[in-house]
Amino acid sequence: MENKDTAVEEGDTMADKATIIVHSGDMDKIYSALIIANGALAMGMEVSLFFTFWGLQRLKKGGLEKGPLSKMHMLGLGKWMVKRKMTKVGVASLEKLLQDFNELGGKILACDMTMEIMGIRKEDLRDDLISDYCAVGTYVNEARESSITLFI
Amino acid sequence: MENKDTAVEEGDTMADKATIIVHSGDMDKIYSALIIANGALAMGMEVSLFFTFWGLQRLKKGGLEKGPLSKMHMLGLGKWMVKRKMTKVGVASLEKLLQDFNELGGKILACDMTMEIMGIRKEDLRDDLISDYCAVGTYVNEARESSITLFI
Amino acid sequence: MENKDTAVEEGDTMADKATIIVHSGDMDKIYSALIIANGALAMGMEVSLFFTFWGLQRLKKGGLEKGPLSKMHMLGLGKWMVKRKMTKVGVASLEKLLQDFNELGGKILACDMTMEIMGIRKEDLRDDLISDYCAVGTYVNEARESSITLFI
């Protein structure tokens, strides 16, 4: 692959890269996204997280821990219970996972259309962590050459 | 790749193609699916959308705009508010996005098992937009050679 | 690809393999996961299902059929109605689909972090069906060389 930004030719090979759309803002899904992302980085992959819709809410200042569970009342496992158990078994907080992701070289992309729709300004977001504000074209360019593509 | 319909060999390369399962009927997820799909088409990729379960409900005549938001009450952003804001910032309606998808050469596949389970007949669906009524085998054949695969 | 367990090189090719994360425990999503998985196996692909979070609840003894629908009240189609209609149109039960998956050589992986967080012990799970108890590294190794990757 001589030029990463040109269109992938029919029959081209894939890069060792993961591109994940984080559409959901649910706490358990943000955990899944970051655990997969950090695992992939630790194993030498390139990783991009593209935050959109409810997911982008989690990148607002103070917003990371504010997501609900995707299944609130199942098994009586409430949100704070899950967090307490996670700490107990040694899973890092979302904040720590996000910082690690950034330090390990992961790329955080914010969907600018979501910002417009939801009236989110750059100053509302954790600008220090965001690599780029972009649209679907950037996502497609990353995803089309990624060996792992997920929508969470 | 000489024959697209034969099984992909171990170690084969991927086509510049996106295959997306639309399982959800939520309005925000249908937006995501169509925005990604149209973005990929605009960048020269082949795209197939495979509508199944609640997603297929959206292909019923008059059904496209009927999906709820996946997070109804978050931030006080109700469904009609989201739609109004989308129009305001220049995002096309779902109907326009779907028409564009069709005109740009995207392929819409309807899951025939879902039709049987939910008692949906061809005449209930927007037959003019649907390329094929098919089962999981068709999906697997498309997806196994796609560089982007998503479940929405 | 000489060694499946070593890191995939930049520009490497993909194996004819599907790796699916089953995060949701919703009945309709478990159906989707197993129908896709069995379809892919039937067409000669390798398939791994990685059960995590609410999805892992479904692997508890007696837990397979216990998931709710992801959209409970849409169209008045309740859970038991969906199951009855599925039987009527000849779709196998989740139990049958899972047994078939196992017999066709599919691999079921259980997320050990979820077990710790939710206090699930091996004896609570359907141990006979589970190929391995593992963490994100195993998932990444499978997914990075798979032509189909999904998060359900």
Side-chain angles (χ1 to χ4, degrees):
Chain A
M1 220 171 288
E2 282 164 34
N3 184 339
K4 283 190 156 200
D5 291 328
T6 55
V8 174
E9 294 299 310
E10 179 82 18
D12 211 340
T13 53
M14 296 283 103
D16 195 22
K17 188 164 156 179
T19 300
I20 301 174
I21 292 179
V22 185
H23 174 103
S24 170
D26 295 342
M27 198 185 76
D28 49 300
K29 292 196 179 165
I30 302 288
Y31 263 113
S32 270
L34 287 171
I35 290 168
I36 294 165
N38 289 0
L41 285 173
M43 294 169 78
M45 295 182 78
E46 275 183 75
V47 185
S48 296
L49 293 176
F50 190 82
F51 286 83
T52 179
F53 279 88
W54 319 110
L56 190 61
Q57 306 289 342
R58 300 284 80 76
L59 290 189
K60 288 169 89 168
K61 284 166 184 148
L64 195 58
E65 309 278 349
K66 284 198 178 144
L69 289 183
S70 60
K71 289 291 154 186
M72 207 60 99
H73 303 295
M74 259 174 106
L75 313 173
L77 261 178
K79 182 178 161 182
W80 302 108
M81 177 81 98
V82 167
K83 289 184 70 169
R84 210 184 334 148
K85 293 211 174 188
M86 287 211 163
T87 309
K88 212 173 150 191
V89 303
V91 182
S93 67
L94 288 178
E95 183 57 40
K96 179 74 168 66
L97 289 171
L98 191 65
Q99 294 290 351
D100 287 352
F101 178 73
N102 190 47
E103 278 161 31
L104 288 164
K107 206 154 49 170
I108 295 175
L109 303 167
C111 170
D112 55 18
M113 190 194 84
T114 301
M115 291 172 68
E116 283 198 85
I117 293 165
M118 299 196 171
I120 302 172
R121 299 158 306 168
K122 280 193 190 184
E123 55 264 39
D124 299 330
L125 295 172
R126 303 189 51 186
D127 196 42
D128 53 314
L129 295 174
I130 295 170
S131 305
D132 205 1
Y133 297 85
C134 56
V136 67
T138 306
Y139 166 73
V140 171
N141 262 336
E142 300 262 347
R144 78 203 312 185
E145 59 168 34
S146 295
S147 52
I148 300 180
T149 56
L150 302 173
F151 182 96
I152 291 183
Chain B
M1 218 170 290
E2 284 165 32
N3 185 339
K4 284 189 157 199
D5 291 328
T6 55
V8 174
E9 293 300 308
E10 179 83 19
D12 211 337
T13 53
M14 295 284 102
D16 194 23
K17 187 165 159 180
T19 301
I20 301 174
I21 293 178
V22 186
H23 175 102
S24 171
D26 295 341
M27 197 187 74
D28 50 301
K29 292 196 179 166
I30 302 288
Y31 263 112
S32 270
L34 286 172
I35 290 168
I36 295 166
N38 289 0
L41 284 173
M43 294 170 78
M45 295 182 78
E46 275 183 73
V47 185
S48 295
L49 294 176
F50 190 81
F51 286 82
T52 178
F53 281 87
W54 318 111
L56 190 62
Q57 306 290 341
R58 300 284 78 77
L59 290 189
K60 287 169 88 167
K61 283 165 185 148
L64 195 59
E65 310 278 350
K66 285 201 177 142
L69 289 183
S70 60
K71 290 290 154 186
M72 210 55 102
H73 303 296
M74 260 174 107
L75 313 172
L77 263 178
K79 181 177 161 183
W80 302 107
M81 178 82 96
V82 168
K83 288 184 72 170
R84 211 184 333 148
K85 294 211 173 188
M86 287 210 162
T87 308
K88 212 173 150 192
V89 303
V91 182
S93 67
L94 288 177
E95 183 58 39
K96 178 75 168 64
L97 289 171
L98 192 66
Q99 294 289 352
D100 287 352
F101 178 74
N102 190 45
E103 278 161 31
L104 287 164
K107 205 153 52 170
I108 295 175
L109 304 166
C111 170
D112 56 17
M113 190 195 82
T114 301
M115 291 172 68
E116 283 197 86
I117 293 165
M118 299 196 171
I120 301 171
R121 299 158 305 167
K122 280 192 190 184
E123 54 264 39
D124 299 328
L125 293 172
R126 302 189 53 187
D127 195 43
D128 52 315
L129 295 174
I130 295 170
S131 305
D132 205 1
Y133 297 84
C134 56
V136 67
T138 305
Y139 165 73
V140 172
N141 262 335
E142 300 262 346
R144 78 202 312 186
E145 60 167 33
S146 296
S147 52
I148 299 179
T149 55
L150 302 173
F151 182 97
I152 293 184
Chain C
M1 219 171 290
E2 283 166 33
N3 185 338
K4 284 192 157 196
D5 291 328
T6 55
V8 175
E9 294 299 308
E10 179 82 18
D12 212 339
T13 52
M14 296 284 103
D16 195 24
K17 187 165 156 177
T19 301
I20 301 174
I21 292 179
V22 185
H23 176 101
S24 171
D26 294 342
M27 197 186 75
D28 49 303
K29 292 196 178 166
I30 302 288
Y31 264 113
S32 270
L34 286 172
I35 289 168
I36 295 165
N38 288 0
L41 284 173
M43 293 169 79
M45 295 182 78
E46 275 182 74
V47 185
S48 295
L49 293 175
F50 191 81
F51 286 83
T52 178
F53 280 87
W54 319 109
L56 190 62
Q57 306 290 341
R58 300 284 79 77
L59 290 189
K60 287 168 87 168
K61 283 166 184 148
L64 194 59
E65 309 277 349
K66 284 199 179 144
L69 290 184
S70 60
K71 291 289 154 188
M72 209 56 100
H73 303 295
M74 261 173 106
L75 312 173
L77 261 179
K79 182 178 162 182
W80 301 108
M81 177 83 96
V82 169
K83 290 184 69 170
R84 209 182 338 147
K85 293 211 174 187
M86 287 210 162
T87 308
K88 213 173 151 192
V89 303
V91 182
S93 66
L94 289 177
E95 184 58 40
K96 179 74 168 67
L97 288 171
L98 191 66
Q99 295 289 351
D100 287 351
F101 178 74
N102 189 47
E103 277 161 34
L104 287 164
K107 207 154 50 170
I108 294 175
L109 304 166
C111 170
D112 55 18
M113 191 195 82
T114 300
M115 292 171 67
E116 282 198 87
I117 293 165
M118 299 196 170
I120 301 171
R121 299 158 304 170
K122 281 193 189 183
E123 55 264 40
D124 299 328
L125 294 171
R126 302 188 53 185
D127 195 43
D128 52 314
L129 295 175
I130 295 170
S131 305
D132 205 0
Y133 297 84
C134 57
V136 67
T138 305
Y139 166 73
V140 171
N141 263 336
E142 300 261 346
R144 80 202 311 187
E145 60 166 35
S146 296
S147 52
I148 299 178
T149 56
L150 302 173
F151 183 96
I152 294 182

